[in-house]
Amino acid sequence: MPPKVYVVDPYHKDAIALLKEHNDIDLVLPSDPAKANYHQDATAIIVRSQTRIEASDIEKSKRTLKYIIKQGVGVDNIDVQAAKAHGVKVYNTPGLNGEAVAELTLSLALSVSRRIAELDRRIRNGEVVVRSEALGRSLFRKTIGLIGMGNIGLFVARKWISAMEGRIIAYDPYAKDGAWEESLPNDKFKRTAVLDELLQTADVISLHVPLLDSTRNMLSTREFELMKQDTILLNCARGGIVDESAMLVALKSGKLFGAGLDALAIEPASMDNYGNTLLTCPNVVVTPHVGASTAENQSQSGIAVVNILFELLKG
Ligand code: NAD
């Protein structure tokens, strides 16, 4: 019997085409991933971030399931401990999304600083916007505080320096010395061991850490109080890293000039979930977790997942 492979989240057509070329797998493409019944016979499950693979799913699938392969880096939608306990191997595609997520991070920075989404919304609503009341903030030569010195953070750092001629202050107690020091000019880059220093120094703060118990709500009331007036906050990582009630207070008080959020604690981003809170703030720009969603990146990362699968099945 050929191994059964379930694709339970939407994948780029190039990745699906490659899977279909492979005759020795039994490919299942459920039309409704939420109802995908992979528990009885899957050898491999291919996911992105929409579908959650809970301990109970792994328990039910353990008779046949060997591999879970995730397109993307964050594996917080998979119960990795349960997978390990049942000998199910979990793979991801670190390092591939950096360019795309960094582009969105800078897009959100500019959209917030120049109030692009807000002004566009007001014009569409029939307002003739008075220019003197539409002042933005310049990002030229400003300092960005990067929390998390991994793959995506480094792409953001490079782009920040080349696009804004800006400076970087970065915090990551776990990152080894090396890549950042080697590829960023010394006079533009400072690493700090003290998060508070970053919070007090940066004009723009951008999160690039995984969601872990240790990073949950790492920006809360105390941290917002430490920030400079008119800070711009960017979150293209995960929603739970920011305490959203504290962020709402900072947005309404003007402590934050604005926030660009691709990740929210409750997803999907919608009026149902945030219509009475974050989405009441004109200075918030929200995107629906599309950091990695460029055609180029989806094709490349989807193909990378399929190649991991092929290698595993070769044994
Ligand atoms: P990475 O693993 O290369 O880097 C993460 C860094 O965070 C590491 O250097 C790690 O040491 C650091 N870190 C961990 N805990 C920390 C803490 N408490 N304080 C400071 N630093 C800490 O990952 P990456 O590729 O740069 O991705 C970062 C995150 O971005 C992912 O975990 C994922 O949640 C998110 N992401 C979002 C999208 C999107 O569509 N918006 C796409 C890809 C990734």
Side-chain angles (χ1 to χ4, degrees):
M1 288 262 286
K4 217 156 184 171
V5 175
Y6 283 76
V7 181
V8 297
D9 278 329
Y11 262 67
H12 192 274
K13 61 180 172 34
D14 294 349
I16 300 294
L18 191 58
L19 279 168
K20 284 182 175 167
E21 277 172 24
H22 212 269
N23 293 327
D24 15 337
I25 59 171
D26 185 354
L27 181 64
V28 187
L29 300 166
S31 52
D32 183 354
K35 294 195 184 129
N37 189 10
Y38 56 79
H39 297 115
Q40 303 309 316
D41 54 5
T43 302
I45 313 171
I46 290 183
V47 292
R48 285 179 57 197
S49 43
Q50 289 94 322
T51 299
R52 297 199 65 78
I53 311 282
E54 311 284 4
S56 58
D57 295 311
I58 291 164
E59 172 68 33
K60 282 188 225 158
S61 317
K62 66 183 180 192
R63 204 176 50 80
T64 60
L65 186 62
K66 289 186 172 166
Y67 312 117
I68 301 170
I69 314 174
K70 154 94 197 249
Q71 179 184 323
V73 61
V75 286
D76 44 283
N77 58 321
I78 301 166
D79 192 322
V80 179
Q81 290 308 326
K84 202 170 170 193
H86 290 296
V88 176
K89 299 234 164 62
V90 178
Y91 296 85
N92 61 351
T93 56
L96 291 184
N97 288 331
E99 192 73 49
V101 180
E103 274 183 17
L104 185 72
T105 305
L106 260 69
S107 309
L108 288 173
L110 287 160
S111 182
V112 172
S113 69
R114 301 306 299 270
R115 301 169 56 181
I116 294 171
E118 176 208 336
L119 295 173
D120 177 82
R121 207 162 40 233
R122 283 167 60 183
I123 293 165
R124 285 168 201 258
N125 284 340
E127 188 180 339
V128 178
V129 177
V130 178
R131 277 188 291 174
S132 58
E133 291 171 11
L135 281 188
R137 307 281 304 189
S138 174
L139 298 180
F140 182 60
R141 296 200 173 147
K142 293 284 168 68
T143 298
I144 192 168
L146 297 173
I147 304 179
M149 293 172 57
N151 173 55
I152 297 172
L154 184 54
F155 276 105
V156 175
R158 290 202 191 105
K159 287 184 195 304
W160 191 262
I161 290 172
S162 58
M164 312 302 177
E165 295 184 27
R167 290 173 182 280
I168 314 292
I169 179 164
Y171 168 78
D172 185 335
Y174 311 106
K176 294 197 187 97
D177 288 338
W180 286 54
E181 288 77 3
E182 279 159 28
S183 61
L184 301 174
N186 284 342
D187 60 330
K188 301 266 187 201
F189 167 59
K190 176 179 179 187
R191 180 174 181 174
T192 177
V194 183
L195 179 60
D196 288 2
E197 185 193 357
L198 179 152
L199 300 173
Q200 289 167 321
T201 314
D203 303 295
V204 177
I205 295 175
S206 193
L207 289 160
H208 301 287
V209 291
L211 178 60
L212 305 167
D213 287 343
S214 56
T215 59
R216 192 175 292 281
N217 288 339
M218 81 186 283
L219 298 187
S220 191
T221 304
R222 179 186 162 280
E223 288 72 28
F224 284 109
E225 277 166 8
L226 287 177
M227 290 177 195
K228 293 192 338 194
Q229 194 67 24
D230 284 328
T231 296
I232 291 175
L233 177 67
L234 307 171
N235 188 0
C236 284
R238 287 291 184 269
I241 300 164
V242 182
D243 173 346
E244 291 181 345
S245 318
M247 174 165 59
L248 190 61
V249 172
L251 283 161
K252 290 202 187 265
S253 73
K255 183 74 179 213
L256 288 180
F257 181 77
L261 309 171
D262 187 47
L264 292 165
I266 308 166
E267 292 186 3
S270 66
M271 288 302 283
D272 278 352
N273 289 331
Y274 287 98
N276 295 324
T277 54
L278 288 174
L279 295 177
T280 62
C281 301
N283 49 347
V284 167
V285 180
V286 175
T287 48
H289 204 134
V290 290
S293 300
T294 64
E296 294 84 348
N297 185 53
Q298 288 304 309
S299 170
Q300 189 195 358
S301 305
I303 287 171
V305 165
V306 177
N307 285 331
I308 292 172
L309 174 76
F310 289 169
E311 281 302 311
L312 291 169
L313 294 179
K314 262 199 247 161

